[in-house]
Amino acid sequence: MTAALAILAIDTSSHLGSVALGRSDGEVLWRQEFPTGPKAGGGLFVALEECLDTGPAPGRILVGVGPGSYAGVRMAIAAATGLGLALGLEPVAVPSVCAYDVETTSFHAIGDARRGAFYYTEMQAGRCMRGPEICDEDEVHSRLAGHADWPVFSAGSLAKFPMAQPAVTRAARLLTAPLEDISRSLEPIYLREPHITRPRVQVP
């Protein structure tokens, strides 16, 4: 009997980064968590080195692409891309909300998109049925009312939405996330167009 495919999953979209190695049947072979941020970025590469030294070589790489920390998501993508080149694999992009470690299968996921906006995702059975999309406060309330009995989760504290329960992203949850019908580009999920500040023109 052929062993199930080994899968490497990476997510560093929130304050807690994680790496997991498992099987396509859901078995987790190895996992590790570490703080993220500018002073703790090395934790990802230490974890990846230990993972590759410990378990079987992965046959697939999954990477959480946000929404979340822009720097964190970029770091995960860079690591996944480098490993993919070394192992001859094409990393698969997965929304980081699929890594939420929650018990329910149907829920709302919201987060701070800055400048007075929020992001919203409708989750069912591990899939993003709607979003991630950017919304204003009223739009989020309207989305939540559509399934008023569903719990609301957020990876960060939101003063405008006190009903949101805290959720932690864990890469091991990506191992059993259903692959999307349309493949995502291996880049951070942008909720708005990148804002570029143009330099001031010097007047002679």
Side-chain angles (χ1 to χ4, degrees):
M1 182 176 178
T2 304
L5 181 71
I7 303 173
L8 174 67
I10 305 169
D11 189 88
T12 54
S13 63
S14 67
H15 68 282
L16 183 69
S18 55
V19 172
L21 183 69
R23 301 285 190 188
S24 54
D25 58 7
E27 179 188 5
V28 179
L29 304 173
W30 184 94
R31 72 178 82 193
Q32 186 167 311
E33 298 177 348
F34 45 88
T36 58
K39 295 184 179 179
L44 169 61
F45 299 99
V46 171
L48 287 172
E49 183 176 7
E50 292 182 10
C51 177
L52 295 175
D53 287 344
T54 302
R60 180 182 298 154
I61 300 174
L62 306 178
V63 56
V65 293
S69 163
Y70 179 79
V73 172
R74 295 286 294 181
M75 181 171 62
I77 290 174
T81 300
L83 281 175
L85 289 173
L87 299 172
L89 301 172
E90 184 71 29
V92 178
V94 185
S96 293
V97 68
C98 296
Y100 276 19
D101 191 9
V102 299
E103 295 300 322
T104 184
T105 58
S106 299
F107 61 93
H108 307 282
I110 61 177
D112 186 2
R114 310 300 180 191
R115 287 185 270 167
F118 304 88
Y119 67 79
Y120 170 83
T121 311
E122 177 186 311
M123 292 294 297
Q124 292 190 54
R127 287 182 178 271
C128 297
M129 304 305 292
R130 181 171 189 168
E133 60 185 359
I134 195 165
C135 299
D136 61 27
E137 184 178 348
D138 290 340
E139 288 172 330
V140 173
H141 281 294
S142 177
R143 305 283 192 274
L144 299 182
H147 295 285
D149 57 328
W150 288 9
V152 183
F153 293 100
S154 176
S157 177
L158 295 173
K160 299 272 188 186
F161 298 94
M163 78 292 282
Q165 304 174 49
V168 176
T169 55
R170 289 194 163 93
R173 297 297 293 247
L174 298 179
L175 298 174
T176 55
L179 296 182
E180 296 180 288
D181 296 331
I182 300 176
S183 299
R184 290 181 181 269
S185 300
L186 193 62
E187 60 182 26
I189 294 177
Y190 291 107
L191 297 171
R192 60 172 86 241
E193 290 298 318
H195 178 73
I196 301 175
T197 302
R198 299 184 181 278
R200 293 181 179 179
V201 177
Q202 296 293 329
V203 179

